[in-house]
Amino acid sequence: GETATVKDVYFSQGMQKRKILTEGLSFQSSLLENRIVPTVGFRRDRSYNQDNRPLPNFANGLPDPAQLMWFGQNKKWTAGDTRSKGVVVRPFQGLAFLDRAAEGGDFGGYLAGVVRGLQFSYNQSDSFVPADVAYNLFGDVLPNPTGRGKDYGVTLRLADRLNVRGNRSEEHTSELQSH
């Protein structure tokens, strides 16, 4: 009988038509004279995929090359949401005693400016990525990638155009596709 390699089967499933519909909403505010800046976001992605994954020839069990340009037999809708929330806090911004001290040209004025520009940030999100339809070696559809993350940060403003920033990120991903 006919034989096929994994490469022959995998690459015979490569053509797709895809449409992604995205709706989103975001909000950002400023509190206490811009010392606290909260953000919230929401996005919904819907992905419609059609691929030309050929149906097997029942005589030999292999994909039928005559069906490579046929689209429509494998229609799939996937959907998922992404949510995020975060905050930037500038606790020393706009404090009159620091503003006065920063106007001095000495080292104390410089330090007051650095303290005044100190900011902390935090962001938390979960995500959904509408990916192309992918299959494992057994022909099963792989789910879309998802993830969760948290970011923490500290920024020091050392001069008008010089910032030093430190961030820590925690990420958790699942259902990754590899192409």
Side-chain angles (χ1 to χ4, degrees):
E2 294 181 41
T3 60
T5 66
V6 169
K7 181 179 176 183
D8 294 334
V9 174
Y10 180 80
F11 287 105
S12 70
Q13 304 171 16
M15 296 173 58
Q16 297 184 16
K17 294 180 183 180
R18 181 168 89 158
K19 181 192 301 185
I20 297 177
L21 304 171
T22 299
E23 300 169 317
L25 177 66
S26 62
F27 171 79
Q28 179 175 331
S29 184
S30 174
L31 307 170
L32 300 175
E33 297 179 11
N34 209 26
R35 286 188 190 115
I36 300 174
V37 180
T39 58
V40 176
F42 174 81
R43 188 182 79 220
R44 171 164 287 152
D45 293 308
R46 292 184 301 145
S47 177
Y48 175 71
N49 294 285
Q50 287 181 287
D51 64 28
N52 67 334
R53 184 174 157 205
L55 298 174
N57 179 337
F58 292 107
N60 63 14
L62 297 175
D64 184 355
Q67 297 175 359
L68 287 178
M69 295 305 290
W70 293 1
F71 286 91
Q73 71 246 19
N74 293 309
K75 298 178 183 179
K76 293 169 188 65
W77 274 103
T78 57
D81 298 334
T82 296
R83 294 175 181 83
S84 65
K85 57 186 170 185
V87 66
V88 174
V89 178
R90 301 176 185 113
F92 306 110
Q93 179 175 299
L95 297 178
F97 75 94
L98 282 175
D99 291 344
R100 282 190 304 273
E103 291 174 6
D106 59 359
F107 186 69
Y110 172 75
L111 286 179
V114 170
V115 170
R116 186 174 58 169
L118 178 67
Q119 71 179 26
F120 302 94
S121 61
Y122 173 78
N123 187 62
Q124 178 179 322
S125 64
D126 62 6
S127 64
F128 164 83
V129 179
D132 291 338
V133 175
Y135 301 92
N136 64 19
L137 291 175
F138 302 105
D140 301 322
V141 175
L142 295 173
N144 284 295
T146 60
R148 292 185 327 272
K150 291 181 183 178
D151 300 299
Y152 311 86
V154 176
T155 302
L156 285 173
R157 183 176 175 192
L158 300 178
D160 282 339
R161 296 182 181 252
L162 178 61
N163 294 322
V164 175
R165 183 176 191 161
N167 277 4
R168 176 184 166 94
S169 297
E170 298 174 12
E171 298 178 9
H172 305 278
T173 57
S174 61
E175 309 300 344
L176 296 177
Q177 295 182 8
S178 176
H179 295 293

PDB file of all heavy atoms in Angstrom, residues 130-147:
ATOM      1  N   PRO A 130      -6.463  34.310  19.914  1.00  0.00           N
ATOM      2  CA  PRO A 130      -7.097  33.543  18.839  1.00  0.00           C
ATOM      3  C   PRO A 130      -6.056  33.132  17.798  1.00  0.00           C
ATOM      4  O   PRO A 130      -5.606  33.945  17.004  1.00  0.00           O
ATOM      5  CB  PRO A 130      -8.131  34.508  18.262  1.00  0.00           C
ATOM      6  CG  PRO A 130      -7.606  35.857  18.589  1.00  0.00           C
ATOM      7  CD  PRO A 130      -6.814  35.722  19.852  1.00  0.00           C
ATOM      8  N   ALA A 131      -5.625  31.907  17.839  1.00  0.00           N
ATOM      9  CA  ALA A 131      -4.562  31.416  16.958  1.00  0.00           C
ATOM     10  C   ALA A 131      -5.154  30.664  15.772  1.00  0.00           C
ATOM     11  O   ALA A 131      -6.340  30.310  15.756  1.00  0.00           O
ATOM     12  CB  ALA A 131      -3.637  30.498  17.753  1.00  0.00           C
ATOM     13  N   ASP A 132      -4.304  30.414  14.791  1.00  0.00           N
ATOM     14  CA  ASP A 132      -4.709  29.565  13.668  1.00  0.00           C
ATOM     15  C   ASP A 132      -5.065  28.195  14.207  1.00  0.00           C
ATOM     16  O   ASP A 132      -4.554  27.763  15.240  1.00  0.00           O
ATOM     17  CB  ASP A 132      -3.565  29.405  12.666  1.00  0.00           C
ATOM     18  CG  ASP A 132      -3.254  30.688  11.918  1.00  0.00           C
ATOM     19  OD1 ASP A 132      -4.138  31.559  11.839  1.00  0.00           O
ATOM     20  OD2 ASP A 132      -2.123  30.814  11.423  1.00  0.00           O
ATOM     21  N   VAL A 133      -5.931  27.499  13.487  1.00  0.00           N
ATOM     22  CA  VAL A 133      -6.258  26.137  13.879  1.00  0.00           C
ATOM     23  C   VAL A 133      -4.999  25.295  13.728  1.00  0.00           C
ATOM     24  O   VAL A 133      -4.316  25.352  12.707  1.00  0.00           O
ATOM     25  CB  VAL A 133      -7.401  25.573  13.010  1.00  0.00           C
ATOM     26  CG1 VAL A 133      -7.641  24.112  13.336  1.00  0.00           C
ATOM     27  CG2 VAL A 133      -8.666  26.370  13.219  1.00  0.00           C
ATOM     28  N   ALA A 134      -4.684  24.538  14.762  1.00  0.00           N
ATOM     29  CA  ALA A 134      -3.520  23.659  14.735  1.00  0.00           C
ATOM     30  C   ALA A 134      -3.957  22.282  15.213  1.00  0.00           C
ATOM     31  O   ALA A 134      -4.895  22.153  16.013  1.00  0.00           O
ATOM     32  CB  ALA A 134      -2.412  24.212  15.616  1.00  0.00           C
ATOM     33  N   TYR A 135      -3.272  21.286  14.725  1.00  0.00           N
ATOM     34  CA  TYR A 135      -3.614  19.900  15.035  1.00  0.00           C
ATOM     35  C   TYR A 135      -2.404  19.192  15.624  1.00  0.00           C
ATOM     36  O   TYR A 135      -1.271  19.486  15.267  1.00  0.00           O
ATOM     37  CB  TYR A 135      -4.040  19.163  13.760  1.00  0.00           C
ATOM     38  CG  TYR A 135      -5.221  19.781  13.073  1.00  0.00           C
ATOM     39  CD1 TYR A 135      -5.054  20.728  12.078  1.00  0.00           C
ATOM     40  CD2 TYR A 135      -6.511  19.422  13.446  1.00  0.00           C
ATOM     41  CE1 TYR A 135      -6.143  21.301  11.454  1.00  0.00           C
ATOM     42  CE2 TYR A 135      -7.598  19.994  12.830  1.00  0.00           C
ATOM     43  CZ  TYR A 135      -7.419  20.934  11.834  1.00  0.00           C
ATOM     44  OH  TYR A 135      -8.489  21.510  11.227  1.00  0.00           O
ATOM     45  N   ASN A 136      -2.666  18.230  16.489  1.00  0.00           N
ATOM     46  CA  ASN A 136      -1.572  17.387  16.944  1.00  0.00           C
ATOM     47  C   ASN A 136      -1.378  16.259  15.928  1.00  0.00           C
ATOM     48  O   ASN A 136      -2.076  16.206  14.903  1.00  0.00           O
ATOM     49  CB  ASN A 136      -1.812  16.872  18.367  1.00  0.00           C
ATOM     50  CG  ASN A 136      -3.029  15.966  18.476  1.00  0.00           C
ATOM     51  OD1 ASN A 136      -3.530  15.414  17.488  1.00  0.00           O
ATOM     52  ND2 ASN A 136      -3.517  15.795  19.696  1.00  0.00           N
ATOM     53  N   LEU A 137      -0.455  15.369  16.190  1.00  0.00           N
ATOM     54  CA  LEU A 137      -0.157  14.302  15.225  1.00  0.00           C
ATOM     55  C   LEU A 137      -1.305  13.317  15.049  1.00  0.00           C
ATOM     56  O   LEU A 137      -1.328  12.565  14.085  1.00  0.00           O
ATOM     57  CB  LEU A 137       1.108  13.560  15.639  1.00  0.00           C
ATOM     58  CG  LEU A 137       2.396  14.370  15.518  1.00  0.00           C
ATOM     59  CD1 LEU A 137       3.575  13.584  16.055  1.00  0.00           C
ATOM     60  CD2 LEU A 137       2.632  14.797  14.086  1.00  0.00           C
ATOM     61  N   PHE A 138      -2.262  13.338  15.966  1.00  0.00           N
ATOM     62  CA  PHE A 138      -3.396  12.433  15.861  1.00  0.00           C
ATOM     63  C   PHE A 138      -4.584  13.084  15.157  1.00  0.00           C
ATOM     64  O   PHE A 138      -5.653  12.491  15.054  1.00  0.00           O
ATOM     65  CB  PHE A 138      -3.813  11.935  17.248  1.00  0.00           C
ATOM     66  CG  PHE A 138      -2.692  11.243  17.972  1.00  0.00           C
ATOM     67  CD1 PHE A 138      -2.027  11.873  19.002  1.00  0.00           C
ATOM     68  CD2 PHE A 138      -2.276   9.974  17.598  1.00  0.00           C
ATOM     69  CE1 PHE A 138      -0.980  11.257  19.664  1.00  0.00           C
ATOM     70  CE2 PHE A 138      -1.230   9.348  18.247  1.00  0.00           C
ATOM     71  CZ  PHE A 138      -0.576   9.981  19.281  1.00  0.00           C
ATOM     72  N   GLY A 139      -4.415  14.354  14.717  1.00  0.00           N
ATOM     73  CA  GLY A 139      -5.489  15.051  14.010  1.00  0.00           C
ATOM     74  C   GLY A 139      -6.459  15.781  14.923  1.00  0.00           C
ATOM     75  O   GLY A 139      -7.458  16.313  14.467  1.00  0.00           O
ATOM     76  N   ASP A 140      -6.181  15.822  16.227  1.00  0.00           N
ATOM     77  CA  ASP A 140      -7.050  16.538  17.168  1.00  0.00           C
ATOM     78  C   ASP A 140      -6.727  18.028  17.127  1.00  0.00           C
ATOM     79  O   ASP A 140      -5.556  18.421  17.043  1.00  0.00           O
ATOM     80  CB  ASP A 140      -6.842  16.020  18.595  1.00  0.00           C
ATOM     81  CG  ASP A 140      -7.132  14.533  18.727  1.00  0.00           C
ATOM     82  OD1 ASP A 140      -8.090  14.060  18.081  1.00  0.00           O
ATOM     83  OD2 ASP A 140      -6.383  13.856  19.465  1.00  0.00           O
ATOM     84  N   VAL A 141      -7.761  18.861  17.221  1.00  0.00           N
ATOM     85  CA  VAL A 141      -7.564  20.303  17.224  1.00  0.00           C
ATOM     86  C   VAL A 141      -6.956  20.731  18.562  1.00  0.00           C
ATOM     87  O   VAL A 141      -7.431  20.320  19.621  1.00  0.00           O
ATOM     88  CB  VAL A 141      -8.905  21.041  16.998  1.00  0.00           C
ATOM     89  CG1 VAL A 141      -8.721  22.547  17.111  1.00  0.00           C
ATOM     90  CG2 VAL A 141      -9.483  20.679  15.649  1.00  0.00           C
ATOM     91  N   LEU A 142      -5.905  21.537  18.496  1.00  0.00           N
ATOM     92  CA  LEU A 142      -5.289  22.065  19.715  1.00  0.00           C
ATOM     93  C   LEU A 142      -6.042  23.317  20.148  1.00  0.00           C
ATOM     94  O   LEU A 142      -6.447  24.126  19.309  1.00  0.00           O
ATOM     95  CB  LEU A 142      -3.827  22.413  19.461  1.00  0.00           C
ATOM     96  CG  LEU A 142      -2.918  21.235  19.119  1.00  0.00           C
ATOM     97  CD1 LEU A 142      -1.529  21.725  18.728  1.00  0.00           C
ATOM     98  CD2 LEU A 142      -2.837  20.281  20.284  1.00  0.00           C
ATOM     99  N   PRO A 143      -6.233  23.520  21.438  1.00  0.00           N
ATOM    100  CA  PRO A 143      -6.941  24.725  21.909  1.00  0.00           C
ATOM    101  C   PRO A 143      -6.088  25.972  21.731  1.00  0.00           C
ATOM    102  O   PRO A 143      -4.866  25.894  21.561  1.00  0.00           O
ATOM    103  CB  PRO A 143      -7.199  24.438  23.385  1.00  0.00           C
ATOM    104  CG  PRO A 143      -6.204  23.404  23.760  1.00  0.00           C
ATOM    105  CD  PRO A 143      -5.872  22.622  22.518  1.00  0.00           C
ATOM    106  N   ASN A 144      -6.740  27.114  21.769  1.00  0.00           N
ATOM    107  CA  ASN A 144      -6.038  28.387  21.670  1.00  0.00           C
ATOM    108  C   ASN A 144      -5.213  28.635  22.929  1.00  0.00           C
ATOM    109  O   ASN A 144      -5.598  28.221  24.025  1.00  0.00           O
ATOM    110  CB  ASN A 144      -7.030  29.533  21.482  1.00  0.00           C
ATOM    111  CG  ASN A 144      -7.562  29.567  20.076  1.00  0.00           C
ATOM    112  OD1 ASN A 144      -6.815  29.799  19.138  1.00  0.00           O
ATOM    113  ND2 ASN A 144      -8.842  29.320  19.928  1.00  0.00           N
ATOM    114  N   PRO A 145      -4.093  29.346  22.793  1.00  0.00           N
ATOM    115  CA  PRO A 145      -3.270  29.665  23.958  1.00  0.00           C
ATOM    116  C   PRO A 145      -3.988  30.611  24.923  1.00  0.00           C
ATOM    117  O   PRO A 145      -4.711  31.507  24.498  1.00  0.00           O
ATOM    118  CB  PRO A 145      -2.051  30.361  23.361  1.00  0.00           C
ATOM    119  CG  PRO A 145      -2.065  30.049  21.909  1.00  0.00           C
ATOM    120  CD  PRO A 145      -3.482  29.785  21.550  1.00  0.00           C
ATOM    121  N   THR A 146      -3.768  30.399  26.201  1.00  0.00           N
ATOM    122  CA  THR A 146      -4.293  31.286  27.245  1.00  0.00           C
ATOM    123  C   THR A 146      -3.166  31.559  28.234  1.00  0.00           C
ATOM    124  O   THR A 146      -2.168  30.839  28.260  1.00  0.00           O
ATOM    125  CB  THR A 146      -5.489  30.666  27.996  1.00  0.00           C
ATOM    126  OG1 THR A 146      -5.061  29.451  28.611  1.00  0.00           O
ATOM    127  CG2 THR A 146      -6.655  30.388  27.072  1.00  0.00           C
ATOM    128  N   GLY A 147      -3.338  32.587  29.033  1.00  0.00           N
ATOM    129  CA  GLY A 147      -2.310  32.876  30.021  1.00  0.00           C
ATOM    130  C   GLY A 147      -2.784  33.834  31.084  1.00  0.00           C
ATOM    131  O   GLY A 147      -3.825  34.481  30.946  1.00  0.00           O
TER     132      GLY A 147
END
